[in-house]
Each structure stands twice: as structure tokens, then as C-alpha cells.
Amino acid sequence: VLVDDAIIDVENSYKRLKQNHALPPDQRKDKIQVNYEASVEIRSSIMHATLIIAVAFMPLFFLSGMEGRMLRPLGITFIVSLLSSLVVALSVTPAMCSLLLSPDKQLEKTKEGGNRFVRRLNSLYTSSLNYVLKHKGVVISLVGVLFIGSIITFFTLGRSFLPAFNEGTLTINTITQPGLSLEASSKLNEQLEEKLLDMEEIKYVSRRSGRAEHSAHMHGGSYSSEIDVPYQLQERSKSDFLRELRSKVSDLPGLNVNVGQPLSHRIDHMLSGTSANIALKIFGEDLNRMYALGQSITEEVKTIPGIVDLRIAPQVEVPQLKIQPKRKMLAKYGITINHFNEFIHAAIAGEKVSQVFEGNRNFDFILRYDKNYRSTFEQLKNSLIDSPINGKIPLHYIAEISSRSGPNVINRENVQRKLVVSANVAERDLHGVISDIKHRIQQKVEVPENYWIEYGGQFESEARSSKIILITSLFAILIIFMMLFHEFKSAKIAGIIMLNLPLALIGGIFAIRFTSGILSIPGLIGFITLFGIASRNGILLLSRFQVLENQGLCMRDRILEGASERLNPIMMTALTAVFALIPLALRGSQPGNEIQSPMAIVILGGLISSTFLNIYVLPVIYNLFCNSKRS
């Protein structure tokens, strides 16, 4: 895109220099003057086309959240580079044209109309355009059918926030029964590792079981593990590899497995608080009823196509010790509630009072009751606490101590108790799976009063981003129309140029349909880019038509001559972009190219359709709606 302005400027200057050189010597203008006039001729078109592309990128700056942080730098980089290329095209390029395109020998080498291929191409285009102008109704009907077909196809596309990454490493989170010891949890995970290493794509694995008490990424106790699994695909696809891997690890008793990737897991966690594509958050009062509701949901949605790694957050009863202070007795013995709480915390949990250094290592020095005073229920009841009135007294004098069971963990969100049912999506689009889940729960699961379900995950960001892009794109299109109206002083001409947008949509939508079939946020950014690029061709064509109209040419002559003159720059700018995009579009599965590839596919498909339809449809529309008396 950065060379488009220079291509148009150089092509027009070279064409005018050749035309000037073909004149008799006494009628030729100064070559610098010819270069100047040629540059001025297309300067306004270049400026407006470039500014329109910049305006088309406006929606990126309204995105919030992670998608905004990810895509705003793209918009800034693109616009700054684009405006820099415009400055070069308006200053450096004309100067270089005067120096490098002016020698008489060079101009004599190429006859008017360019080389043989260019002349042949122009001849074919002129004859085919002449035929198209005689069959306007057929052309418009055909384009209408293609556009309607593309819109219908658009609503059949799957939708996703980001395309599937290919990071080359899997991150497998496992959860055993809460309260299970680190040793027992490690033995279960060793069985999983053995199954993983049986696969030829996997050479080694590494595992972290449990988490440090104050870890920044703490997601469980000794019963949780995280396994890094680097892999290298051999003869089969990634989907086949993951399908076999999941079948191997799903039948391990006592292990709840979630298969993801390092970066993908972190993105999911940032978006929903869960390391999975989908998080069904159940809110309510009673944890037991919430867990029963979660099990009902799990049973109903597990048969939905595309659902994998379905699991419910473990909720089990664990033994607990309840120490309830007797406030009257505390007052009798002169013990404050703060002193009581500090004593219980220090005596049982322990309190850090210093540090011990051994060489380069240091350890916390913890003060608490000896095991003989806190190992059993009776020992704890008879442990002594200081009283300002009576000296040391047994703990059971001032507190009721009881043993009971309770939930292993209580999660909250916005002060409400929360239980999460999580799942990943494989071989299907995220939006379609979510729609099926909502429909299945609405039809099959009865949600008690004062309990509710919230749906979290990447699809929330996708829906929010798509809405923002749609609204801001409408404003961008309005601004583009106003810029075109300012350039041509005609709402009719501006409207004809805006027809490039649906023409570009046709190719972009079908390109997605015949590749992944899933529209993601990078694909939407591709459409944004496409709108600006596609408008350039229309500006080039219509501006030339207007110039020829002012020179007094009839409608058919100005269409045929103007379109023929603009064919070269239109084809060159389109082919330049196409050749640059092909490597990105074809290497979508390569690590690091997953986000660029959907954008490239959309731009590539839309550019091809808009270019070929543009050079035929716009002249037809112009002929129908801008017919003047001079026609």
C-alpha cells in the first residue's frame, strides 16, 4: 500500500512524457513542465485516496480492552507510514521522475501505449468494456446476485474473537480431588505424562504441581498442576493430533484436564478469569445447589458438537475447625476480640517474627504452638491463652470449638458467590457453540429463583469489538462520503465511488468462506483496510471521467478513454498488494502469523473482486446515472 501513491504518480508522469515526446518537436513542452502538470493532475486524487484509507482505520482507535491494546499500535503504525509515503509521493517522486524519466532515448524505446503486453491488455479491456456498456442490465443483475449471495454467506460464517494460535507448545492444566496431597497428585500426573510421551510428536514434557502460597499465577493448591508440552507435527494435522491427545488423557480417573496453549491460556484468563475459551458462571447463595445446577449444565452441554475439556470447578466438603468466641466470657476475663483473633492466628497458623539466613538462602522464622498443643481437637481445647485478670486460662473457657465440614473453596465475583463450568472449543467457531449452549440451557436446565448464569469468555470481547467496529465504521463511511463530496462537488459521483465498498465485500466474504469459514476480529480489520484501498480505484476512474467531460468528450468516449488510461495504475496497485499479501495468506498456520493471515485473506479476496468489478461496474453505473447532454 505504501508504494501505491508513487506508482500512480510515476505511471501518469511517464505516460504524459511519452505523449509529449510523440508530438512534433516544435509542439513539445518542457519536460519539467510536463512532469509538473502530470503530478498536479493526479495530486488531488492521491491525497484524498490516502486520507480516505487513514479515515477507514478510525474504528481501531475506539476499541477497548485487550483487543484495543493489541490493534491500536497497528493503526498508528499504518497511518503514520501511509502519510509518510504520501509526503514522499508528493515531493520526492515527482523530482525523481524529472531526473530519471526524461531522457529522449528512454522515451523513444517505448511507443505510445506502452509495451506489447500493455497494448494488448488495453485493447482487450476496451473491447470488453464496450461490450459491457451495451449490456448494462445483465452486468448490474449479475453484480446484484453476487452481492446478495455474499450477504447470505456472511450470516453463515462462524465468528470468533481471535483465530486459533499455533504456538508449538501445549499447556495442560490438571486438577485432582481438592485436598489431595502433593505426592498423590504427582503420581496421577505421571500417568498422564506417560500417555503424552507415547505420542510421536511429543519428545518431552515439564510439569509444575502446586503453587507457592503467594504466587502471582496461583490457580490451585497441591491438587493442581500445569504441564508444558512442546510438540512438532509430523505427518498429520494439528486437529488430528489434538483429537488423539484428548482421547488419551480423557479416560484417566481422578484427573480433570484442560488442554490449551501458553498465550491462549493467558488471554482466556484475562478475559474471563478462567483458562478456557468458555466460562459459564453460576451465581447464587447455596453452594450445594449451585454445584447441582453446574452438574445439570455439564450433562446437557457435553453432547454439543465442538465442546471439549468440559469441567466443573471442584466443590467438595473438607473437614474444618470452627472457633467461635464467647463474647461475655471474653469480657469476664478481660480479653479483647482483637487479642483473641491475634492469638488464634499466631498459635495455629503461625506468625513471622524474623528471618534466618544460611549462606545465600533465607527462611522465615515462624512462631506458633508446638504440635503437642494443636495436633488434636482436645489439645487445642486445652491450650492456654493469656488473660489480664486470671493469668493463663484454657481456650475452651472463652470459645466454642467444634469440628465440621465445609466447602474447599468459595469463589466470588462482585461480592456474589460463584461456581464456574468451563470448556474449550475445537473444530468449530466459538460463537456457534455459545449459541447452542444458551439454547440448550434455556430449553433443558431449570435455574432456581435467585440463581443466575452469566456467560464469559472470548465471545464477550468478540461481540463488544464487533459492535464498536460496526458503529464506528458507519461514521467512517459517512466521513469518507463527505470527503468524496468535497473532492467532486457531487453527491452522485461520491455515491458511485462508494459502490466500491459492497464490491469489495463480495470478494472478502467469499475468501473467508472458502478458507477458514470463521470471521474473527483480524478479519474485520481486513474489511476496514479494504474499504479504504478499494475507494482509491473509484477515485482514479471518476476523476479522469470528470476531466474528460470538461474537455467536451461524449459519454461513451470519455468512459472508454478514461477507463483505458486508468487501467494501468489500477492493475499495478492491485497486483502490488496481491503479491505482497499472498505469502501472509498462505502461511496462516505458521506461528506468529495467525493474526495477520485472516487480515490478508480478506484484503486479498476483496481486492481481487473490487478491482475486476470496479473497472466494469463503475463505468456502467456512471453511464446510467451521470449521462449528460454531451453524451
Side-chain angles (χ1 to χ4, degrees):
V1 177
L2 300 184
V3 299
D4 283 356
D5 293 340
I7 286 174
I8 297 168
D9 200 337
V10 171
E11 194 276 338
N12 200 56
S13 292
Y14 198 40
K15 183 185 297 179
R16 300 306 175 213
L17 284 169
K18 289 185 293 183
Q19 290 173 351
N20 182 65
H21 188 74
L23 296 173
D26 58 331
Q27 296 181 17
R28 294 177 187 172
K29 296 181 182 179
D30 181 68
K31 293 173 184 176
I32 294 180
Q33 180 66 23
V34 173
N35 267 304
Y36 170 76
E37 292 175 356
S39 182
V40 170
E41 179 185 343
I42 46 84
R43 177 158 297 185
S44 179
S45 299
I46 287 177
M47 288 185 62
H48 280 83
T50 303
L51 292 175
I52 284 172
I53 296 175
V55 169
F57 266 75
M58 279 178 49
L60 291 186
F61 298 96
F62 291 90
L63 293 175
S64 59
M66 188 188 69
E67 59 272 22
R69 296 187 185 95
M70 184 184 299
L71 295 171
R72 268 197 298 268
L74 170 66
I76 294 171
T77 305
F78 188 85
I79 290 174
V80 170
S81 302
L82 196 65
L83 295 178
S84 301
S85 73
L86 176 62
V87 172
V88 172
L90 296 179
S91 56
V92 178
T93 303
M96 295 181 69
C97 287
S98 295
L99 291 173
L100 302 177
L101 300 182
S102 299
D104 291 338
K105 290 182 179 180
Q106 183 176 352
L107 295 173
E108 288 172 359
K109 286 180 181 178
T110 309
K111 296 180 180 179
E112 178 63 27
N115 59 40
R116 184 179 302 175
F117 174 77
V118 173
R119 291 200 305 273
R120 181 62 178 164
L121 183 65
N122 274 273
S123 176
L124 287 173
Y125 173 59
T126 303
S127 60
S128 61
L129 180 59
N130 193 37
Y131 177 82
V132 165
L133 290 172
K134 295 177 182 177
H135 300 83
K136 304 181 189 69
V138 176
V139 173
I140 293 176
S141 300
L142 180 60
V143 173
V145 170
L146 285 174
F147 179 66
I148 293 171
S150 68
I151 296 301
I152 295 173
T153 303
F154 178 81
F155 289 104
T156 66
L157 296 176
R159 285 163 56 190
S160 182
F161 178 55
L162 293 174
F165 292 162
N166 183 19
E167 302 179 42
T169 300
L170 299 178
T171 297
I172 301 179
N173 286 343
T174 65
I175 296 179
T176 61
Q177 190 75 1
L180 199 68
S181 68
L182 186 62
E183 292 77 11
S185 173
S186 182
K187 287 182 180 179
L188 285 172
N189 280 283
E190 285 174 4
Q191 298 177 28
L192 185 145
E193 291 170 359
E194 290 174 1
K195 287 181 173 290
L196 293 175
L197 292 172
D198 286 340
M199 303 181 68
E200 60 179 355
E201 289 88 353
I202 300 172
K203 303 304 179 185
Y204 68 93
V205 298
S206 60
R207 170 166 52 92
R208 297 173 293 280
S209 291
R211 285 298 193 198
E213 202 170 310
H214 301 290
S215 170
H217 299 287
M218 190 172 101
H219 60 83
S222 60
Y223 57 90
S224 69
S225 297
E226 188 175 79
I227 306 173
D228 292 330
V229 186
Y231 65 91
Q232 190 168 5
L233 296 176
Q234 304 294 334
E235 298 178 354
R236 54 180 172 174
S237 66
K238 182 182 176 183
S239 58
D240 292 336
F241 163 68
L242 288 176
R243 196 180 301 117
E244 182 188 346
L245 185 144
R246 285 191 167 102
S247 67
K248 280 179 171 289
V249 302
S250 61
D251 58 352
L252 285 171
L255 269 184
N256 208 322
V257 179
N258 177 24
V259 181
Q261 299 178 101
L263 181 58
S264 305
H265 259 173
R266 272 60 181 179
I267 291 175
D268 289 327
H269 209 110
M270 286 190 292
L271 293 176
S272 66
T274 305
S275 298
N277 300 151
I278 300 171
L280 308 180
K281 303 175 184 179
I282 303 169
F283 294 91
E285 296 287 337
D286 189 335
L287 288 173
N288 291 327
R289 294 190 70 181
M290 291 165 62
Y291 191 75
L293 179 58
Q295 287 181 314
S296 300
I297 291 173
T298 302
E299 287 298 317
E300 291 297 335
V301 305
K302 68 181 182 181
T303 57
I304 293 176
I307 289 282
V308 293
D309 305 333
L310 180 65
R311 68 179 183 180
I312 184 171
Q315 193 75 42
V316 298
E317 296 287 325
V318 294
Q320 295 180 346
L321 187 67
K322 183 177 181 181
I323 303 176
Q324 183 72 35
K326 303 174 183 177
R327 293 187 177 268
K328 290 184 178 180
M329 298 303 293
L330 287 176
K332 177 181 177 180
Y333 289 105
I335 301 174
T336 65
I337 190 68
N338 287 339
H339 176 64
F340 175 82
N341 289 335
E342 289 173 359
F343 168 81
I344 295 298
H345 176 76
I348 300 175
E351 184 174 344
K352 176 184 172 182
V353 294
S354 184
Q355 283 188 315
V356 177
F357 294 88
E358 290 184 3
N360 293 327
R361 298 184 298 169
N362 63 81
F363 306 91
D364 291 337
F365 188 78
I366 304 297
L367 177 67
R368 62 181 173 185
Y369 267 0
D370 186 74
K371 288 184 179 180
N372 294 332
Y373 294 95
R374 58 182 173 86
S375 295
T376 65
F377 183 70
E378 288 299 323
Q379 288 174 349
L380 189 61
K381 287 178 62 176
N382 294 318
S383 60
L384 302 178
I385 182 173
D386 291 326
S387 166
I389 298 175
N390 297 79
K392 295 185 181 296
I393 59 171
L395 182 61
H396 69 268
Y397 280 20
I398 58 171
E400 291 183 0
I401 306 173
S402 58
S403 179
R404 59 179 62 188
S405 61
N408 63 301
V409 64
I410 300 177
N411 291 313
R412 292 181 181 271
E413 185 174 310
N414 296 326
V415 197
Q416 300 291 332
R417 287 187 172 186
K418 177 186 75 172
L419 183 70
V420 177
V421 176
S422 61
N424 287 322
V425 177
E427 301 181 31
R428 211 183 151 195
D429 70 290
L430 183 61
H431 189 270
V433 172
I434 284 292
S435 298
D436 288 351
I437 290 175
K438 288 181 178 179
H439 180 74
R440 184 72 61 86
I441 291 176
Q442 187 177 7
Q443 296 294 323
K444 301 290 186 179
V445 179
E446 183 178 350
V447 181
E449 188 177 356
N450 297 324
Y451 291 77
W452 68 96
I453 301 170
E454 291 184 5
Y455 299 86
Q458 290 190 16
F459 74 95
E460 285 183 305
S461 298
E462 184 272 332
R464 182 181 65 249
S465 302
S466 298
K467 184 178 179 180
I468 292 173
I469 289 174
L470 175 62
I471 294 172
T472 52
S473 293
L474 293 176
F475 281 104
I477 289 172
L478 178 61
I479 294 172
I480 291 172
F481 180 83
M482 293 171 64
M483 293 175 66
L484 292 171
F485 179 78
H486 177 267
E487 166 70 1
F488 293 98
K489 304 297 187 294
S490 168
K492 192 181 294 184
I493 296 296
I496 293 174
I497 295 175
M498 294 294 286
L499 284 174
N500 278 283
L501 305 189
L503 297 182
L505 276 175
I506 294 172
I509 291 172
F510 283 118
I512 296 174
R513 182 66 185 86
F514 293 126
T515 51
S516 66
I518 297 176
L519 177 63
S520 58
I521 296 302
L524 289 178
I525 304 306
F527 280 113
I528 289 174
T529 310
L530 192 57
F531 286 169
I533 296 173
S535 299
R536 184 197 301 271
N537 294 343
I539 293 174
L540 288 175
L541 272 179
L542 272 295
S543 62
R544 188 57 187 164
F545 291 166
Q546 294 297 91
V547 170
L548 295 177
E549 181 182 6
N550 294 333
Q551 294 176 4
L553 271 69
C554 69
M555 174 63 75
R556 183 170 293 272
D557 288 345
R558 67 173 176 260
I559 288 177
L560 293 176
E561 182 177 336
S564 178
E565 285 188 7
R566 291 299 190 231
L567 179 64
N568 284 5
I570 287 175
M571 294 302 295
M572 282 194 289
T573 53
L575 288 172
T576 303
V578 166
F579 289 140
L581 290 167
I582 286 175
L584 292 178
L586 295 180
R587 296 176 64 84
S589 61
Q590 297 299 312
N593 196 39
E594 301 95 336
I595 291 180
Q596 298 177 94
S597 183
M599 296 172 63
I601 288 171
V602 169
I603 299 172
L604 188 59
L607 200 58
I608 292 172
S609 71
S610 66
T611 299
F612 284 103
L613 293 176
N614 178 282
I615 58 179
Y616 289 107
V617 176
L618 256 64
V620 169
I621 300 296
Y622 179 81
N623 191 12
L624 286 174
F625 291 98
C626 296
N627 217 332
S628 64
K629 293 179 180 179
R630 283 179 287 187
S631 304

